[in-house]
Amino acid sequence: MADRKVDSETGVETTGHNWDGIEELNNPLPRWWLWTLYLCIIWGVGYSIAYPAWPMISGATTGVLGWSTRGNVAQDIKEHEGQNAELVAALVQTDMDTLSDNADLNRYAIARGGAVFRAQCSQCHGSGAAGATGYPNLLDNDWLWGGEIAQIAYTVRHGIRNDTDDDAHWSQMPAFGDQLEKDEIAATVEYVVSLSNTEFDAALAATGSELFAENCASCHGDAALGDQDQGAPNLADAIWLYGGDRESLTYTIVNARFGVMPAWGQRLSEEDVRAVSAYVHALGGGE
């Protein structure tokens, strides 16, 4: 370049760059730095040949070594399954009602079931299994379809009111909005409120009691204690899946409810179904 010159003090040619009177000397790069750069380039080329590196249309180059993180994980899972093969076989073969008799197997089942629950069930029932509106609390002793460990396993395996498993639990509450007048619905609501609340309209609840006996007792029972064979909830224990205030109860009676649970037996292995059932049963609410 025309403006390059030799520095008078060092005898080194300048680059021609000038910043506020300061000129840059055109000294060569240090040999160690250059060799480091060259080695990094060689290493990078070798790495991209040996390992997955370059993204393609439908994937990445696999590398001549065929290594992958997925392969490592798969190998770890295979080794883990091999170490627990005996426990898995025992878990599948053991009668669920006698699972707690084998302390080691029961401990393994609960630990495995906890992992399954957190991955598959916590999205609806909550990380602590306390449930939410429309999703049952699994910590209490209020069970629509039975809380014994074998009953829990059946529910997990086949689900509730789904259209993918012919053995799913199934029940249907009528929508009474087309069958009862508004005042009749209000009276029925007041009666249901009276079953678990000390503040209610006694006269209105008395009328509701008769309407309940005519329309609701066939499923919920004369004393409104529910029926697990039909999945009919107990209405006298102040535990509510969709809310026990008058507004929520009115909506339930008028429109009915239709909660659905997937058939996890179609998604999970048998050992995982049994394990998560053991975990849920051990949470404290199992019958």
Side-chain angles (χ1 to χ4, degrees):
M1 297 178 62
D3 53 353
R4 287 186 179 181
K5 61 183 180 179
V6 176
D7 180 64
S8 59
E9 294 189 12
T10 62
V12 177
E13 183 185 48
T14 67
T15 63
H17 301 155
N18 187 306
W19 294 276
D20 295 332
I22 301 174
E23 296 182 318
E24 179 184 12
L25 300 179
N26 192 21
N27 284 316
L29 294 170
R31 290 293 184 101
W32 67 266
W33 193 95
L34 284 173
W35 281 112
T36 301
L37 174 63
Y38 297 149
L39 288 174
C40 286
I41 293 173
I42 294 171
W43 179 86
V45 172
Y47 184 94
S48 65
I49 294 174
Y51 294 97
W54 299 102
M56 307 295 282
I57 295 176
S58 59
T61 56
T62 59
V64 296
L65 298 181
W67 178 91
S68 73
T69 53
R70 288 179 180 271
N72 280 5
V73 172
Q75 181 62 31
D76 289 343
I77 292 175
K78 184 176 181 180
E79 291 177 0
H80 175 78
E81 290 177 345
Q83 294 170 356
N84 294 301
E86 293 184 5
L87 287 170
V88 170
L91 178 59
V92 172
Q93 297 169 6
T94 299
D95 186 331
M96 293 294 288
D97 291 328
T98 63
L99 180 62
S100 59
D101 296 340
N102 186 329
D104 290 338
L105 181 60
N106 191 50
R107 186 162 48 250
Y108 168 76
I110 292 173
R112 179 172 184 144
V116 174
F117 184 92
R118 288 185 289 274
Q120 306 293 346
C121 313
S122 61
Q123 293 86 344
C124 292
H125 293 284
S127 58
T133 301
Y135 301 99
N137 180 351
L138 304 179
L139 303 177
D140 58 29
N141 199 28
D142 192 69
W143 297 89
L144 287 177
W145 301 96
E148 296 180 6
I149 189 168
Q151 293 172 316
I152 295 173
Y154 184 97
T155 300
V156 172
R157 187 178 294 110
H158 300 292
I160 300 171
R161 303 185 193 92
N162 59 68
D163 56 5
T164 62
D165 192 315
D166 293 337
D167 293 320
H169 289 304
W170 197 276
S171 64
Q172 175 64 65
M173 175 180 173
F176 286 98
D178 297 329
Q179 303 180 37
L180 298 177
E181 300 296 332
K182 288 185 177 181
D183 59 339
E184 293 178 320
I185 292 173
T188 305
V189 166
E190 198 65 21
Y191 170 70
V192 173
V193 168
S194 74
L195 297 173
S196 57
N197 194 320
T198 57
E199 298 181 3
F200 60 92
D201 185 321
L204 190 59
T207 301
S209 174
E210 297 177 4
L211 290 165
F212 184 92
E214 295 173 2
N215 297 280
C216 313
S218 58
C219 292
H220 293 283
D222 293 336
L225 298 179
D227 182 0
Q228 290 183 352
D229 291 335
Q230 301 183 67
N234 182 346
L235 304 179
D237 57 6
I239 298 175
W240 301 98
L241 183 57
Y242 293 97
D245 59 277
R246 289 174 176 81
E247 182 179 357
S248 297
L249 290 172
T250 299
Y251 185 94
T252 297
I253 293 175
V254 170
N255 301 287
R257 305 286 186 173
F258 195 79
V260 176
M261 175 180 171
W264 287 103
Q266 299 172 354
R267 310 184 187 193
L268 300 176
S269 63
E270 176 61 18
E271 55 266 29
D272 281 342
V273 168
R274 288 169 169 255
V276 75
S277 301
Y279 172 78
V280 170
H281 188 263
L283 289 174
E287 294 176 337

